Amino acid sequence: MSRRSLLPLLVVGALAFAAVAQAATWGWLGVRIRDLSEQEMEEISGRHGIREGYGALIVEVLKETPAALAGLRNGDLVVAFKDRPVIDTRALQRFVAATPAGQEVALTVLRAEEGRRALRVSVGIMPREIVAERVAAEFGFVVRDPQEGREAPVIPAGVPAVAVVLRGSQAERAGLKAGDVIVEVNGRPVVSRQAVSEVLGELTLDQPLRLTVRREGEPLALTVAPPGTRFP
């Protein structure tokens, strides 16, 4: 699975490749998003003009979130954040990352029937469980309970298993594989997905992530480089 195909599963929030001092202060809109397909880009450009055809498409607006309160809708295409163009989902995530929680910002969206529309939204604080999902995704993997996937017959219920490792990610470079069972995160034992989330939710992105996993019954220690680290 590519990074782009994973993005609809993630909630837009505040993650950047710089260190974050307090995860609890990361900004959050409360929408699930994805990038446009090439066909969608062409259709939008034809309908709204050549300068369009880019943006982050809102797949779902979560209830009782800053996005919902601001009037954002499923199907809205976010094309600008505080007058800065939103080219894709990554751009929107980075803009939210740079915005303090509680600050009101201007969003420009495209709607099928209304065209361009300006909205104002107060950036919220990202819930800890969402922080954990985003941290894992930035390192390049997704964790889920085995009963949610094909690993269920061979991995006991409740044990945190790696569901996806993104191609070209730091996690892949470190040797992490789908199906690995996580038993320690940065030296702290974990016995459930919730335990993994609690540890990941406390991390910053400027330090390596140390994982101990169980693969085919054998323990394996892996060190995942921080997001953005370049290799020769």
Short mmCIF file of all heavy atoms in Angstrom, two decimals, residues 127-165:
data_model
loop_
_atom_site.label_atom_id
_atom_site.label_comp_id
_atom_site.label_asym_id
_atom_site.label_seq_id
_atom_site.Cartn_x
_atom_site.Cartn_y
_atom_site.Cartn_z
N PRO A 127 -6.77 14.64 19.42
CA PRO A 127 -6.89 13.60 20.44
C PRO A 127 -5.67 12.68 20.43
O PRO A 127 -5.07 12.42 19.39
CB PRO A 127 -8.15 12.83 20.02
CG PRO A 127 -8.91 13.80 19.17
CD PRO A 127 -7.88 14.62 18.47
N ARG A 128 -5.32 12.18 21.60
CA ARG A 128 -4.10 11.39 21.74
C ARG A 128 -4.08 10.16 20.84
O ARG A 128 -3.06 9.80 20.28
CB ARG A 128 -3.90 10.98 23.20
CG ARG A 128 -2.62 10.19 23.50
CD ARG A 128 -1.39 10.95 23.04
NE ARG A 128 -1.23 12.20 23.72
CZ ARG A 128 -0.58 12.35 24.88
NH1 ARG A 128 -0.04 11.31 25.47
NH2 ARG A 128 -0.45 13.54 25.42
N GLU A 129 -5.25 9.49 20.69
CA GLU A 129 -5.26 8.28 19.86
C GLU A 129 -5.00 8.62 18.39
O GLU A 129 -4.40 7.82 17.67
CB GLU A 129 -6.59 7.54 20.00
CG GLU A 129 -7.82 8.29 19.54
CD GLU A 129 -8.45 9.13 20.65
OE1 GLU A 129 -7.76 9.40 21.65
OE2 GLU A 129 -9.63 9.50 20.48
N ILE A 130 -5.42 9.80 17.96
CA ILE A 130 -5.15 10.21 16.58
C ILE A 130 -3.68 10.59 16.43
O ILE A 130 -3.05 10.32 15.39
CB ILE A 130 -6.06 11.39 16.17
CG1 ILE A 130 -7.53 11.01 16.36
CG2 ILE A 130 -5.80 11.79 14.73
CD1 ILE A 130 -7.96 9.82 15.55
N VAL A 131 -3.11 11.21 17.46
CA VAL A 131 -1.68 11.51 17.45
C VAL A 131 -0.89 10.23 17.22
O VAL A 131 0.04 10.19 16.41
CB VAL A 131 -1.24 12.17 18.78
CG1 VAL A 131 0.28 12.28 18.84
CG2 VAL A 131 -1.86 13.56 18.92
N ALA A 132 -1.26 9.17 17.92
CA ALA A 132 -0.54 7.90 17.78
C ALA A 132 -0.62 7.36 16.36
O ALA A 132 0.38 6.89 15.81
CB ALA A 132 -1.11 6.88 18.77
N GLU A 133 -1.79 7.45 15.74
CA GLU A 133 -1.94 6.99 14.35
C GLU A 133 -1.03 7.78 13.42
O GLU A 133 -0.37 7.23 12.54
CB GLU A 133 -3.39 7.15 13.89
CG GLU A 133 -4.38 6.19 14.52
CD GLU A 133 -5.77 6.40 13.96
OE1 GLU A 133 -5.90 7.09 12.92
OE2 GLU A 133 -6.73 5.88 14.56
N ARG A 134 -0.99 9.09 13.62
CA ARG A 134 -0.20 9.95 12.75
C ARG A 134 1.29 9.73 12.95
O ARG A 134 2.06 9.74 12.00
CB ARG A 134 -0.56 11.41 12.98
CG ARG A 134 -1.97 11.79 12.53
CD ARG A 134 -2.17 11.59 11.03
NE ARG A 134 -1.22 12.35 10.26
CZ ARG A 134 -0.49 11.86 9.30
NH1 ARG A 134 -0.60 10.58 8.95
NH2 ARG A 134 0.37 12.62 8.65
N VAL A 135 1.72 9.53 14.21
CA VAL A 135 3.13 9.26 14.47
C VAL A 135 3.55 7.97 13.76
O VAL A 135 4.58 7.93 13.08
CB VAL A 135 3.40 9.16 15.98
CG1 VAL A 135 4.79 8.59 16.25
CG2 VAL A 135 3.28 10.54 16.63
N ALA A 136 2.75 6.92 13.92
CA ALA A 136 3.07 5.65 13.27
C ALA A 136 3.13 5.83 11.76
O ALA A 136 4.05 5.32 11.09
CB ALA A 136 2.03 4.60 13.64
N ALA A 137 2.19 6.57 11.19
CA ALA A 137 2.17 6.78 9.75
C ALA A 137 3.38 7.56 9.27
O ALA A 137 3.91 7.29 8.19
CB ALA A 137 0.88 7.50 9.35
N GLU A 138 3.83 8.53 10.06
CA GLU A 138 5.01 9.29 9.67
C GLU A 138 6.26 8.41 9.64
O GLU A 138 7.13 8.58 8.79
CB GLU A 138 5.22 10.48 10.59
CG GLU A 138 4.22 11.61 10.40
CD GLU A 138 4.34 12.28 9.04
OE1 GLU A 138 5.42 12.18 8.41
OE2 GLU A 138 3.36 12.88 8.60
N PHE A 139 6.35 7.47 10.57
CA PHE A 139 7.46 6.52 10.53
C PHE A 139 7.26 5.47 9.45
O PHE A 139 8.22 4.83 9.02
CB PHE A 139 7.63 5.84 11.89
CG PHE A 139 8.37 6.68 12.90
CD1 PHE A 139 7.68 7.37 13.89
CD2 PHE A 139 9.75 6.78 12.86
CE1 PHE A 139 8.36 8.14 14.82
CE2 PHE A 139 10.44 7.56 13.79
CZ PHE A 139 9.74 8.24 14.77
N GLY A 140 5.99 5.30 9.01
CA GLY A 140 5.74 4.44 7.86
C GLY A 140 5.04 3.13 8.13
O GLY A 140 5.19 2.17 7.36
N PHE A 141 4.22 3.04 9.17
CA PHE A 141 3.50 1.80 9.42
C PHE A 141 2.16 2.07 10.08
O PHE A 141 1.88 3.17 10.57
CB PHE A 141 4.33 0.84 10.28
CG PHE A 141 4.60 1.32 11.69
CD1 PHE A 141 3.82 0.90 12.75
CD2 PHE A 141 5.65 2.19 11.94
CE1 PHE A 141 4.07 1.33 14.04
CE2 PHE A 141 5.92 2.63 13.24
CZ PHE A 141 5.13 2.20 14.29
N VAL A 142 1.31 1.04 10.07
CA VAL A 142 0.00 1.08 10.70
C VAL A 142 -0.12 -0.13 11.61
O VAL A 142 0.27 -1.24 11.24
CB VAL A 142 -1.13 1.05 9.64
CG1 VAL A 142 -2.50 1.00 10.31
CG2 VAL A 142 -1.03 2.25 8.72
N VAL A 143 -0.68 0.10 12.80
CA VAL A 143 -0.88 -0.99 13.76
C VAL A 143 -2.37 -1.23 13.93
O VAL A 143 -3.16 -0.29 13.97
CB VAL A 143 -0.26 -0.64 15.14
CG1 VAL A 143 -0.54 -1.76 16.15
CG2 VAL A 143 1.23 -0.41 15.00
N ARG A 144 -2.76 -2.50 14.02
CA ARG A 144 -4.15 -2.81 14.30
C ARG A 144 -4.22 -4.12 15.07
O ARG A 144 -3.25 -4.89 15.12
CB ARG A 144 -4.96 -2.93 13.01
CG ARG A 144 -4.59 -4.13 12.15
CD ARG A 144 -5.43 -4.18 10.89
NE ARG A 144 -4.98 -5.28 10.02
CZ ARG A 144 -5.13 -5.28 8.71
NH1 ARG A 144 -5.69 -4.26 8.11
NH2 ARG A 144 -4.72 -6.31 7.98
N ASP A 145 -5.39 -4.38 15.66
CA ASP A 145 -5.61 -5.66 16.31
C ASP A 145 -5.71 -6.75 15.25
O ASP A 145 -6.33 -6.54 14.20
CB ASP A 145 -6.91 -5.65 17.12
CG ASP A 145 -6.82 -4.66 18.28
OD1 ASP A 145 -5.73 -4.55 18.87
OD2 ASP A 145 -7.83 -4.00 18.58
N PRO A 146 -5.13 -7.91 15.47
CA PRO A 146 -5.12 -8.94 14.44
C PRO A 146 -6.49 -9.41 14.01
O PRO A 146 -6.67 -9.85 12.89
CB PRO A 146 -4.32 -10.08 15.08
CG PRO A 146 -4.05 -9.70 16.47
CD PRO A 146 -4.40 -8.27 16.67
N GLN A 147 -7.50 -9.32 14.89
CA GLN A 147 -8.82 -9.77 14.48
C GLN A 147 -9.42 -8.88 13.40
O GLN A 147 -10.41 -9.24 12.78
CB GLN A 147 -9.78 -9.85 15.67
CG GLN A 147 -9.99 -8.51 16.39
CD GLN A 147 -9.09 -8.40 17.58
OE1 GLN A 147 -7.94 -8.82 17.54
NE2 GLN A 147 -9.60 -7.85 18.67
N GLU A 148 -8.80 -7.71 13.14
CA GLU A 148 -9.30 -6.83 12.09
C GLU A 148 -8.79 -7.25 10.71
O GLU A 148 -9.19 -6.69 9.71
CB GLU A 148 -8.86 -5.39 12.36
CG GLU A 148 -9.42 -4.82 13.65
CD GLU A 148 -8.89 -3.44 13.91
OE1 GLU A 148 -8.35 -2.80 12.99
OE2 GLU A 148 -8.99 -2.98 15.05
N GLY A 149 -7.87 -8.19 10.65
CA GLY A 149 -7.27 -8.54 9.36
C GLY A 149 -7.02 -10.02 9.24
O GLY A 149 -7.50 -10.84 10.01
N ARG A 150 -6.18 -10.37 8.28
CA ARG A 150 -5.96 -11.78 7.96
C ARG A 150 -5.06 -12.48 8.97
O ARG A 150 -4.94 -13.68 8.94
CB ARG A 150 -5.33 -11.87 6.57
CG ARG A 150 -6.24 -11.31 5.47
CD ARG A 150 -5.56 -11.37 4.12
NE ARG A 150 -6.42 -10.84 3.06
CZ ARG A 150 -6.04 -10.74 1.80
NH1 ARG A 150 -4.83 -11.15 1.42
NH2 ARG A 150 -6.87 -10.24 0.90
N GLU A 151 -4.41 -11.70 9.84
CA GLU A 151 -3.49 -12.33 10.78
C GLU A 151 -4.22 -13.07 11.90
O GLU A 151 -3.62 -13.80 12.68
CB GLU A 151 -2.57 -11.28 11.41
CG GLU A 151 -1.72 -10.52 10.41
CD GLU A 151 -2.41 -9.27 9.93
OE1 GLU A 151 -3.61 -9.11 10.21
OE2 GLU A 151 -1.76 -8.45 9.28
N ALA A 152 -5.54 -12.86 12.03
CA ALA A 152 -6.29 -13.38 13.16
C ALA A 152 -6.09 -14.86 13.44
O ALA A 152 -5.97 -15.26 14.59
CB ALA A 152 -7.78 -13.07 12.98
N PRO A 153 -6.05 -15.73 12.43
CA PRO A 153 -5.93 -17.16 12.73
C PRO A 153 -4.62 -17.55 13.39
O PRO A 153 -4.55 -18.58 14.05
CB PRO A 153 -6.04 -17.81 11.34
CG PRO A 153 -6.76 -16.81 10.50
CD PRO A 153 -6.26 -15.49 11.01
N VAL A 154 -3.56 -16.74 13.23
CA VAL A 154 -2.27 -17.15 13.75
C VAL A 154 -1.78 -16.27 14.88
O VAL A 154 -0.84 -16.61 15.57
CB VAL A 154 -1.21 -17.17 12.62
CG1 VAL A 154 -1.57 -18.24 11.60
CG2 VAL A 154 -1.10 -15.82 11.95
N ILE A 155 -2.42 -15.11 15.11
CA ILE A 155 -2.00 -14.20 16.17
C ILE A 155 -3.15 -14.05 17.15
O ILE A 155 -4.28 -13.76 16.75
CB ILE A 155 -1.62 -12.82 15.61
CG1 ILE A 155 -0.46 -12.96 14.62
CG2 ILE A 155 -1.22 -11.86 16.73
CD1 ILE A 155 -0.07 -11.68 13.94
N PRO A 156 -2.93 -14.24 18.45
CA PRO A 156 -4.01 -14.14 19.44
C PRO A 156 -4.67 -12.77 19.40
O PRO A 156 -4.03 -11.76 19.15
CB PRO A 156 -3.28 -14.37 20.77
CG PRO A 156 -2.04 -15.12 20.41
CD PRO A 156 -1.64 -14.61 19.06
N ALA A 157 -5.98 -12.77 19.66
CA ALA A 157 -6.73 -11.52 19.68
C ALA A 157 -6.16 -10.58 20.73
O ALA A 157 -5.74 -10.99 21.81
CB ALA A 157 -8.20 -11.80 19.97
N GLY A 158 -6.15 -9.29 20.39
CA GLY A 158 -5.68 -8.29 21.34
C GLY A 158 -4.22 -7.94 21.24
O GLY A 158 -3.76 -6.97 21.83
N VAL A 159 -3.46 -8.74 20.51
CA VAL A 159 -2.02 -8.49 20.37
C VAL A 159 -1.81 -7.47 19.23
O VAL A 159 -2.36 -7.63 18.15
CB VAL A 159 -1.26 -9.79 20.07
CG1 VAL A 159 0.21 -9.52 19.83
CG2 VAL A 159 -1.44 -10.78 21.21
N PRO A 160 -1.00 -6.41 19.46
CA PRO A 160 -0.81 -5.39 18.42
C PRO A 160 0.06 -5.90 17.27
O PRO A 160 1.22 -6.23 17.46
CB PRO A 160 -0.13 -4.24 19.17
CG PRO A 160 0.59 -4.91 20.30
CD PRO A 160 -0.28 -6.08 20.70
N ALA A 161 -0.52 -5.93 16.08
CA ALA A 161 0.20 -6.41 14.90
C ALA A 161 0.37 -5.27 13.91
O ALA A 161 -0.50 -4.41 13.79
CB ALA A 161 -0.56 -7.57 14.26
N VAL A 162 1.48 -5.30 13.18
CA VAL A 162 1.71 -4.34 12.11
C VAL A 162 0.87 -4.76 10.91
O VAL A 162 1.03 -5.85 10.39
CB VAL A 162 3.20 -4.27 11.74
CG1 VAL A 162 3.40 -3.35 10.54
CG2 VAL A 162 4.03 -3.81 12.92
N ALA A 163 -0.05 -3.86 10.50
CA ALA A 163 -0.94 -4.19 9.39
C ALA A 163 -0.35 -3.80 8.05
O ALA A 163 -0.49 -4.53 7.07
CB ALA A 163 -2.29 -3.48 9.58
N VAL A 164 0.31 -2.64 7.99
CA VAL A 164 0.83 -2.10 6.74
C VAL A 164 2.18 -1.46 7.00
O VAL A 164 2.36 -0.78 8.02
CB VAL A 164 -0.13 -1.04 6.15
CG1 VAL A 164 0.46 -0.40 4.90
CG2 VAL A 164 -1.49 -1.65 5.82
N VAL A 165 3.12 -1.67 6.10
CA VAL A 165 4.39 -0.93 6.09
C VAL A 165 4.46 -0.21 4.75
O VAL A 165 4.38 -0.84 3.69
CB VAL A 165 5.60 -1.86 6.27
CG1 VAL A 165 6.90 -1.06 6.17
CG2 VAL A 165 5.53 -2.59 7.61
#
